[in-house]
Amino acid sequence: MATPIIATRLVPADEEGIAETARVLRSGGLAAIPTETVYGLACDATDPHAVAKLYAAKGRPSFNPLIAHVPDVEAALRVGQFSPTASALARAFWPGPLTLVVPAIEDATSPLARAGLSSVAIRVPAHPVAQAVLRAADRPIAAPSANRSGHVSPTTAGHVMADLLGAIDLVLDAGPAAVGVESTILDCTGDIPAMLRPGGLAREEIEAVLGHALAVPERVTDDEAPQAPGMLASHYAPSVPVRLMAEQLRAGEALLTFGGQALHGAPPVRTRDLSPEGDLVEAAANLYAYLRELDAPGVSGIAVVGLPAHGLGEAIADRLRRAAAPR
Ligand code: TXA
Ligand code: MG
């Protein structure tokens, strides 16, 4: 079914732009907003019509639960039920790139936004513009990454426009996202929190606050097929094949490298270095933009070097594995 074309406005993130974004959200519209991780496609999480429109705009094949965004811990306590452990994590890392899954407070968000689950994913973003929008909207805001389903997550307003022009009301432009990969998601419904998705907050930092290791989840989250355990979806995918841990370049390949590493073999058609200094935080910030830049005409595939596994390396490796998964 074709989605009707609507006029998408690109608005700078000044006082008037933030006020206009809040008006769009409060009247059931769809607005892409900046966060420190990636741009989110926002709507009123209490309005089932707005949530249904959001699923349609993204072209998601199945209803998949959305993260409820709120401006502070106090607002989060009105959306979900926090155990002492969940509270400690919230107070240590919010606002920031962490999402906590906790038992839902039933009427605080639409069941459609939670895909019918009795739990709810909650995040308090640190980006000052996201904070201002959430305060002005004054209700929980559902916001998946603002890409069409199956595409790489957007880290600039331009990326959002490339995917969603004509499908949403507004894009609020605050420049590139600082973190560059999505939030870390922890399931806090059991005794010991489990990591459902590695992301912008490193495992080591969380375990230091807990004083012990995170639990291994029964299944990890998967934006495309939440009902399929163990399936590695080709989410975050460029249009050409991605080859991991490459040691030799093949003819026609572009190179995604790290720390100045060069590869033998054919000369690369294009090269991007995620961080010439070997900094994993910088690498995460550049990951999605560089995948888009290497996914260009004349490139037959993207070869990726091996990266360190610690810190944000875990989230980068997760996204690259998904980008390389068969589709
Ligand atoms: O950084 C981020 O988290 C970005 C920005 C915009 O905040 N948002 C984001 O949303 O990445 P999305 O929809 O692309 O990914 C949310 C993930 C999905 O994999 C979904 O299955 C999972 O969160 N999720 C949501 N609610 C859940 C729940 N109750 N239980 C388990 N997983 C849940
Ligand atoms: Mg996503």
Side-chain angles (χ1 to χ4, degrees):
M1 201 176 70
T3 315
I5 304 278
I6 56 179
T8 304
R9 285 171 294 147
L10 181 61
V11 176
D14 53 18
E15 213 172 302
E16 174 47 31
I18 289 165
E20 178 55 18
T21 303
R23 277 194 291 275
V24 165
L25 295 175
R26 290 174 67 93
S27 59
L30 303 181
I33 62 167
T35 84
E36 74 277 27
T37 57
V38 300
Y39 275 71
L41 179 55
C43 79
D44 180 348
T46 68
D47 178 348
H49 298 284
V51 175
K53 263 200 310 196
L54 186 150
Y55 284 123
K58 273 189 65 94
R60 265 197 180 168
S62 58
F63 291 155
N64 188 23
L66 305 173
I67 299 172
H69 295 66
V70 290
D72 51 37
V73 175
E74 288 59 45
L77 294 175
R78 294 194 287 272
V79 174
Q81 301 167 45
F82 285 70
S83 66
T85 303
S87 294
L89 291 169
R91 293 189 193 281
F93 296 115
W94 280 349
L98 173 68
T99 294
L100 298 175
V101 174
V102 298
I105 292 176
E106 265 304 311
D107 297 332
T109 52
S110 156
L112 187 56
R114 305 195 306 268
L117 295 177
S118 59
S119 61
V120 61
I122 309 176
R123 172 159 125 74
V124 176
H127 197 296
V129 171
Q131 281 275 328
V133 168
L134 292 173
R135 288 189 194 284
D138 193 27
R139 63 200 59 200
I141 294 297
S145 50
N147 52 283
R148 280 191 62 80
S149 186
H151 288 194
V152 172
S153 287
T155 55
T156 68
H159 296 161
V160 178
M161 290 296 262
D163 264 26
L164 294 173
L165 183 68
I168 65 177
D169 297 295
L170 182 152
V171 180
L172 187 60
D173 185 357
V179 176
V181 292
E182 298 86 343
S183 60
T184 300
I185 304 181
L186 297 183
D187 180 354
C188 293
T189 60
D191 288 339
I192 298 176
M195 190 183 277
L196 299 179
R197 176 176 78 182
L201 181 65
R203 173 189 294 276
E204 293 89 328
E205 290 196 53
I206 299 165
E207 293 182 341
V209 164
L210 289 174
H212 56 75
L214 287 162
V216 176
E218 276 166 34
R219 58 179 182 76
V220 293
T221 69
D222 175 340
D223 287 8
E224 302 302 303
Q227 264 75 343
M231 256 191 56
L232 189 64
S234 74
H235 192 50
Y236 314 101
S239 69
V240 295
V242 175
R243 202 159 61 82
L244 303 182
M245 310 288 285
E247 287 176 350
Q248 290 263 325
L249 276 165
R250 298 174 187 161
E253 277 185 333
L255 173 64
L256 186 63
T257 189
F258 177 78
Q261 291 177 67
L263 293 187
H264 295 291
V269 178
R270 286 179 172 221
T271 302
R272 290 288 180 280
D273 192 331
L274 289 167
S275 172
E277 272 81 61
D279 175 358
L280 288 166
V281 173
E282 181 185 21
N286 288 330
L287 178 66
Y288 289 137
Y290 286 3
L291 280 174
R292 285 176 190 257
E293 287 170 20
L294 294 181
D295 189 7
V299 172
S300 63
I302 301 173
V304 188
V305 302
L307 276 90
H310 63 265
L312 295 197
E314 185 176 6
I316 296 169
D318 172 79
R319 304 307 187 272
L320 286 171
R321 248 192 327 272
R322 291 169 193 253
R327 39 202 105 126

